[in-house]
Amino acid sequence: MSKNLQVELKNIFFELEGNEIFKNFSLRFSSKGISIILGPNGSGKTILTKIMKGIVNIDKGKVLIKKKNDIGYAPQQVVFLRRNVFDNIAFPLRVKGKRESYVKQRVNYLLTEFNIFDKKSFSARSLSAGNAQFISFVRSIVDDPNILILDEPCSNLDEIHRKKVELYLKRNKKKKKIIMITHDFLQAKRLADEIILIEKGKFLVKYNKQKFLKNEKNIIKDFFS
């Protein structure tokens, strides 16, 4: 893997319940900035994020990621421990053995920064879908990872919380590799440094933002026809 690359998939094969999801799938991501993955339902986008995170094991191929223990991940289906919001956000830090004084400092900082301090003691599993998704995003950045993988992180958010997520991503994209799935073309246009199209487990094409915007209408028409 090139020293300038952080995430690369090489010749991936993966079957799920007898269905072939990926066959000889390869994809390189830019080393920094925001990569947006677009594709119809059933394209394999969510499974791809799980493969990169290491939640799903591939049948064959290579997943090349620098610092595999340095990945923040917010799944589409949020899963919380039977604990309060504070403890759920703190969990990644505690797993890594961080000192409790640092855990408290860091989590309280994020609770304040994202204006959710009032939810600190709430049962995480009792939250609304929007609040749960927002807390899941905050948890994904608690240990300031160099690689951030987000699966539809704004699908249940109102405009205020969506803007907070997008602002964080814009502010941090120069020092992180951010890989994000969205169905929102407007969001992709706002955030992406590169846009990747996949369909039925196949990599179709990758555009930088300028090329995508220049050919946007034709790309969208061809892709969804």
Side-chain angles (χ1 to χ4, degrees), residues 135-182:
I135 297 298
S136 176
F137 169 76
V138 175
R139 180 176 59 182
S140 74
I141 64 172
V142 67
D143 55 351
D144 196 23
N146 285 319
I147 300 172
L148 190 57
I149 299 174
L150 308 171
D151 188 357
E152 295 279 3
C154 301
S155 59
N156 293 309
L157 302 186
D158 59 24
E159 185 176 2
I160 292 173
H161 290 88
R162 176 189 58 76
K163 285 182 177 180
K164 288 181 179 181
V165 171
E166 291 187 2
L167 181 60
Y168 174 88
L169 298 179
K170 288 177 181 178
R171 284 178 173 174
N172 288 274
K173 70 176 187 174
K174 290 185 178 180
K175 62 180 183 179
K176 297 182 185 296
K177 177 66 231 167
I178 300 167
I179 299 171
M180 177 174 162
I181 291 174
T182 181

Side-chain angles (χ1 to χ4, degrees), residues 1-55:
M1 182 167 63
S2 168
K3 66 180 181 179
N4 294 319
L5 271 172
Q6 286 189 308
V7 182
E8 182 178 0
L9 306 172
K10 296 185 71 173
N11 309 115
I12 298 297
F13 289 79
F14 177 73
E15 287 189 5
L16 181 64
E17 298 178 350
N19 296 315
E20 186 178 75
I21 308 300
F22 295 109
K23 181 180 179 180
N24 204 30
F25 180 94
S26 296
L27 176 60
R28 288 185 176 186
F29 293 92
S30 59
S31 60
K32 297 290 182 182
I34 302 174
S35 298
I36 298 288
I37 302 176
L38 297 172
N41 289 333
S43 304
K45 304 185 299 298
T46 289
I47 293 176
L48 199 61
T49 65
K50 292 180 178 180
I51 288 172
M52 289 186 285
K53 174 59 178 171
I55 297 171

